Amino acid sequence: MDASFFRCKQILIIDDCAPVRASIKAMAQQIGFESIHLARDANEAIAKCHELPFDFILCDFNLGDGKDGYQVFETLKAQQLLAPLNCFLMVSAENQRQIVHGMIELQPDDYLLKPFSYQQLEERIVRAITNRIALRKIYVHLFENDSKNAIAECDKAITSKPEFAIAAMRIKGELLIKLRLFAQAEQFYLQIMQQYKKAAWARLGYALACFYQERWDDTELQLADLTQFDETKVEALDWLSRLYVKYRRFQIAHNTLYEAVLLSPKNITRQKTLANLASIVGDKLAAARINAKIVIAARHSVNDIADNYLNQARALVDAAYCGNVLERAVTVNNAARIVDHLAKRFDIAKLKAEITVLRCRFLAAKGELADAKQLIAEVPVSHKTNMSIDSCLDAAKAYFELGDLYASQSYIDKLQHILDRDDFLTETQRIMLEMEQSRHEELKAKLKIINAEAAEAYQRENYDQAFERFAETFDYMPTNPTIALNLMQTMTKGARLIPLTQRYIRASVKLLAKSELDEEMAARFKRYLIQLKEMHPELIPRRRPKEREVL
């Protein structure tokens, strides 16, 4: 390619080392570039991309503090700052497997290992731009999200440009899957596999087409074999894990996805999916650790959002219930510190509802249920209209822990409608929703039996047994005013005053005194309270009068 071609092209060189920037600039000048721009870090590079539509970007993977090259490329793609014919080349002095697999996933135009010569750089740049120009109509349609016309241009390129046919085939296959034309995609990939026996990418596409047509055996056979090749290893592990979830083999799905995360740890969505799988298999501590890693990994990426920190705190609350009382308090305090630090980086006014729900869960985990119920009443009704999946699930858990099954179920019902995407992360969220719904059904069935036993004992005037059964119900629903009133009523009928009954009555009085009761319930509470004070003066001690202020 003639040097005059590059004269009017804009090239951006991103490297944190000044001598290296100067060296690559000199090479670019040799190739023929005249409009050469330099950036020493990610922020400067992204700012320049907002100002100019670059034709070529050479970006070092390691850029010191802040975003690395992976995150720069990720950001530019997410913000659509890469023009259809832009060529992005990643540069690195390292050949670590994690970097290589990360690059395979992001798919830059090429990857260069330092040190490299002027001739090597020119060769890669020419190869990248030649491909872009040959398939320019395809890339323009992809940039415009016009999949139908992109496929039509792929067909033209496959027949008229044999040297670029494989690139066009790969794009077409991916688009057929994206458009959910699975049977057509299967036949297309079969034809390619017959022509190109060693095309691992085509075998992967064929496996995905089989997966979406629920041909699990064909899918598993292909994916298991594709884990042997660097080109397809991470993606094959990803889909193999998803296949195991279809089989409801959650532990092996977790282990398989964990291997993919080790190979390509910068994929935040995959890490979130792994955290969900850890929670599904019951390893709440591992889920909390993964969420902590997500916070660190996403720190400089486009995925650096408040929900990562909230999810870390949520995972810690879930894990807190696995420990004893002391361990629980320590874990909850760690979660509270995470929430306290949110104000340093995010606008917490927009997170008020999510933070309030979390603080309710902190109180519930510590056994301060009456205070938790009082606090959760501050969550605005409008919170339900615009909330994330994770926030919705957290609210369902909060109300469940407070014994308000009706409110908890309302959030579960909402989740049924917003879990509408077809991806692996959403699939694990659906399973977590199923597990939450199962908890509801199991508790409802258990409470129904216990309440029936309590009512029967009450009718037989066996008030001690009735109190024990109502107390068991209260353990599951400690913020339910109706159960608290049942306990007080049973006590007025003649249940024995023992340490057990004393503890439950005092808890009931505390709850009812802080609850908003309707007229009938308030009258019942007042009546039972008077009766119990007369029957057992020591049970509900009178409040001491306030001491007069000393003037």
Side-chain angles (χ1 to χ4, degrees):
M1 188 169 282
D2 193 86
S4 61
F5 172 84
F6 297 105
R7 189 171 298 129
C8 60
K9 303 297 181 186
Q10 304 279 349
I11 184 170
L12 174 63
I13 298 166
I14 313 166
D15 199 294
D16 62 332
C17 178
V20 173
R21 287 198 302 273
S23 174
I24 298 176
K25 179 182 178 181
M27 291 183 191
Q29 287 172 329
Q30 274 189 281
I31 293 170
F33 287 100
E34 292 183 359
S35 298
I36 303 171
H37 304 261
L38 306 177
R40 64 183 179 278
D41 58 33
N43 292 334
E44 186 181 0
I46 293 168
K48 287 181 182 291
C49 287
H50 276 282
E51 295 170 3
L52 280 174
F54 288 102
D55 301 291
F56 298 88
I57 298 176
L58 271 66
C59 183
D60 188 42
F61 186 88
N62 295 304
L63 296 173
D65 295 335
K67 284 180 170 57
D68 58 27
Y70 182 103
Q71 292 164 334
V72 169
F73 189 34
E74 187 180 42
T75 302
L76 295 178
K77 288 176 74 174
Q79 296 180 5
Q80 289 194 312
L81 293 173
L82 298 175
L85 296 186
N86 172 276
C87 295
F88 190 102
L89 281 74
M90 190 69 73
V91 179
S92 177
E94 303 172 46
N95 194 20
Q96 296 177 2
R97 288 177 67 82
Q98 288 183 342
I99 296 176
V100 172
H101 285 295
M103 290 305 101
I104 290 172
E105 283 206 273
L106 275 185
Q107 296 182 347
D109 291 273
D110 218 322
Y111 181 74
L112 270 163
L113 272 177
K114 294 178 181 178
F116 51 84
S117 64
Y118 143 74
Q119 290 86 356
Q120 288 173 313
L121 178 60
E122 183 179 30
E123 179 189 338
R124 299 297 179 88
I125 286 177
V126 169
R127 184 168 66 187
I129 192 59
T130 302
N131 177 76
R132 286 275 170 176
I133 291 172
L135 304 178
R136 62 187 178 280
K137 291 184 179 179
I138 298 173
Y139 288 117
V140 168
H141 288 311
L142 289 175
F143 187 78
E144 295 170 347
N145 288 317
D146 185 354
S147 299
K148 184 178 178 181
N149 281 320
I151 289 175
E153 290 299 333
C154 284
D155 287 332
K156 291 178 184 176
I158 290 167
T159 55
S160 64
K161 301 176 180 178
E163 66 271 38
F164 302 103
I166 290 178
M169 287 176 186
R170 293 189 71 156
I171 295 171
K172 178 181 176 179
E174 290 169 3
L175 288 171
L176 290 173
I177 296 290
K178 179 184 175 181
L179 294 174
R180 305 187 69 80
L181 301 171
F182 304 127
Q184 189 177 335
E186 179 188 353
Q187 292 305 313
F188 179 69
Y189 281 120
L190 277 173
Q191 292 172 7
I192 297 170
M193 290 161 62
Q194 290 169 1
Q195 187 176 358
Y196 304 97
K197 305 284 185 189
K198 295 182 179 180
W201 58 269
R203 291 176 57 196
L204 179 63
Y206 172 76
L208 301 192
C210 292
F211 175 90
Y212 281 114
Q213 294 176 88
E214 299 187 1
R215 298 220 310 276
W216 311 130
D217 291 342
D218 291 341
T219 305
E220 186 172 8
L221 187 66
Q222 288 289 346
L223 290 176
D225 191 44
L226 288 167
T227 59
Q228 301 176 61
F229 307 102
D230 280 343
E231 180 188 356
T232 52
K233 187 178 182 70
V234 173
E235 204 170 351
L237 288 168
D238 222 350
W239 285 95
L240 198 55
S241 177
R242 190 171 179 182
L243 178 63
Y244 290 137
V245 165
K246 293 288 187 187
Y247 288 150
R248 313 295 285 188
R249 295 165 65 185
F250 298 130
Q251 187 61 60
I252 191 169
H254 170 274
N255 297 345
T256 304
L257 194 65
Y258 178 73
E259 189 177 347
V261 166
L262 288 178
L263 289 170
S264 186
K266 288 187 176 290
N267 188 311
I268 302 302
T269 301
R270 183 179 294 119
Q271 293 242 36
K272 288 181 178 179
T273 307
L274 181 64
N276 287 350
L277 282 172
S279 182
I280 289 166
V281 300
D283 196 343
K284 305 294 184 183
L285 291 172
R289 287 194 298 270
I290 296 165
N291 274 288
K293 290 179 181 177
I294 289 170
V295 167
I296 297 169
R299 183 67 175 84
H300 301 290
S301 77
V302 291
N303 298 296
D304 185 23
I305 55 176
D307 245 15
N308 296 337
Y309 297 81
L310 292 170
N311 284 340
Q312 185 186 2
R314 291 161 182 159
L316 283 171
V317 178
D318 291 340
Y321 285 96
C322 302
N324 57 40
V325 176
L326 181 60
E327 291 170 335
R328 183 181 299 186
V330 171
T331 305
V332 168
N333 287 339
N334 289 337
R337 277 195 289 272
I338 293 168
V339 172
D340 290 340
H341 284 108
L342 276 173
K344 294 180 179 179
R345 299 202 55 242
F346 301 97
D347 182 1
I348 58 171
K350 296 178 181 179
L351 305 170
K352 185 178 179 181
E354 287 83 355
I355 290 173
T356 302
V357 169
L358 254 175
R359 293 199 189 283
C360 291
R361 294 194 68 196
F362 298 162
L363 291 169
K366 291 179 178 180
E368 299 171 21
L369 298 166
D371 293 336
K373 185 179 180 185
Q374 193 171 14
L375 181 60
I376 209 163
E378 298 176 12
V379 176
V381 177
S382 58
H383 173 54
K384 259 192 186 180
T385 57
N386 186 23
M387 60 193 310
S388 70
I389 290 168
D390 293 321
S391 296
C392 198
L393 184 59
D394 196 51
K397 289 180 180 179
Y399 282 104
F400 183 89
E401 287 156 6
L402 293 175
D404 189 342
L405 293 187
Y406 178 81
S408 181
Q409 186 64 51
S410 71
Y411 283 95
I412 286 177
D413 293 341
K414 179 176 175 61
L415 275 167
Q416 302 278 9
H417 294 97
I418 62 177
L419 286 169
D420 54 359
R421 291 186 308 179
D422 180 22
D423 55 47
F424 196 6
L425 176 60
T426 307
E427 195 157 346
T428 58
Q429 289 168 331
R430 287 195 195 98
I431 293 162
M432 293 172 77
L433 175 62
E434 288 173 19
M435 294 172 72
E436 202 62 29
Q437 183 71 71
S438 294
R439 281 211 302 169
H440 276 242
E441 300 307 322
E442 288 170 11
L443 181 55
K444 285 177 184 175
K446 194 168 189 175
L447 291 176
K448 189 175 181 180
I449 294 169
I450 297 171
N451 276 325
E453 292 174 352
E456 184 184 355
Y458 188 90
Q459 292 299 323
R460 288 189 283 104
E461 299 184 359
N462 187 344
Y463 299 119
D464 287 334
Q465 186 181 358
F467 192 97
E468 287 178 10
R469 292 292 176 270
F470 281 130
E472 192 175 348
T473 308
F474 192 69
D475 286 337
Y476 288 108
M477 303 182 72
T479 62
N480 189 306
T482 302
I483 300 171
L485 285 170
N486 287 342
L487 284 166
M488 292 183 74
Q489 181 180 2
T490 307
M491 196 72 191
T492 63
K493 290 294 183 179
R496 288 179 301 157
L497 181 64
I498 57 176
L500 175 75
T501 55
Q502 191 172 9
R503 177 162 57 86
Y504 278 100
I505 290 299
R506 285 181 173 170
S508 297
V509 171
K510 184 179 179 182
L511 170 66
L512 290 164
K514 291 188 175 184
S515 299
E516 290 185 15
L517 307 174
D518 60 33
E519 191 174 333
E520 181 188 352
M521 293 179 77
R524 284 181 64 194
F525 175 45
K526 184 178 180 180
R527 184 169 69 252
Y528 297 150
L529 194 59
I530 292 170
Q531 289 177 324
L532 288 172
K533 283 180 179 178
E534 291 175 353
M535 294 171 64
H536 307 290
E538 72 279 20
L539 178 60
I540 305 171
R542 294 177 180 273
R543 290 183 180 178
R544 293 181 181 179
K546 292 182 179 179
E547 295 181 9
R548 290 181 180 179
E549 292 183 5
V550 179
L551 297 174

